[in-house]
Amino acid sequence: MERPAAAMARKLREIIAEEDSGETNEVLCQPNHLNQNNYTDPPTRLTIYRIRDKFEETSSVTDAPSSGQPIMRTEENVATVSEAKCPQKSLRRRSAGMGIKRTSLRKILKELNMKPYIQAGPGS
């Protein structure tokens, strides 16, 4: 069975070849009659052109890696969090004390199946 990315690349090559020859592919503009319950509109012409242009530039249709902020979930940080035993401190204070961003600390705690804090009981 062909991988989805390879199938899309093959289909794009066919579309580009048809466009160069002047033929139009009417199948792209028709709804899928085999799956009428989950019918969605076909992609717009602009979407197809953008995918084609991306494929011609990069020989791939996958998105470029995001340029967001780097993730601070290193093995060192995970080890620091797993060894720390201070459930009475708030997440904000623990992150400040460890030098780890609050969101990263929350993700590490979730990954380790730990709670951000232990609530004090009624008699505490």
Side-chain angles (χ1 to χ4, degrees):
M1 186 167 155
E2 194 173 25
R3 292 188 340 246
M8 184 175 264
R10 183 181 48 75
K11 189 67 177 172
L12 279 171
R13 283 191 197 98
E14 291 173 9
I15 291 170
I16 292 169
E18 288 176 4
E19 187 177 274
D20 291 341
S21 67
E23 298 176 13
T24 59
N25 190 346
E26 295 299 323
V27 175
L28 287 176
C29 302
Q30 296 175 356
N32 183 355
H33 295 291
L34 299 175
N35 195 5
Q36 290 178 347
N37 295 337
N38 295 328
Y39 172 71
T40 57
D41 290 331
T44 63
R45 212 176 271 278
L46 182 61
T47 301
I48 292 174
Y49 289 151
R50 285 181 179 162
I51 292 172
R52 181 201 61 193
D53 293 343
K54 183 192 293 189
F55 180 73
E56 287 177 347
E57 288 176 15
T58 64
S59 299
S60 175
V61 292
T62 58
D63 293 330
S66 63
S67 60
Q69 205 162 16
I71 298 171
M72 293 186 61
R73 286 191 292 167
T74 61
E75 293 299 322
E76 180 182 319
N77 287 346
V78 172
T80 304
V81 171
S82 65
E83 293 170 2
K85 301 288 184 196
C86 50
Q88 285 76 22
K89 285 187 179 179
S90 69
L91 193 65
R92 185 176 290 182
R93 288 187 180 171
R94 286 166 61 180
S95 69
M98 292 180 193
I100 302 173
K101 290 184 181 180
R102 192 174 61 222
T103 54
S104 296
L105 179 60
R106 186 175 50 227
K107 289 176 185 177
I108 292 170
L109 288 171
K110 184 176 182 179
E111 186 178 285
L112 296 172
N113 293 325
M114 297 173 71
K115 302 287 182 189
Y117 61 92
I118 297 176
Q119 291 179 336
S124 298

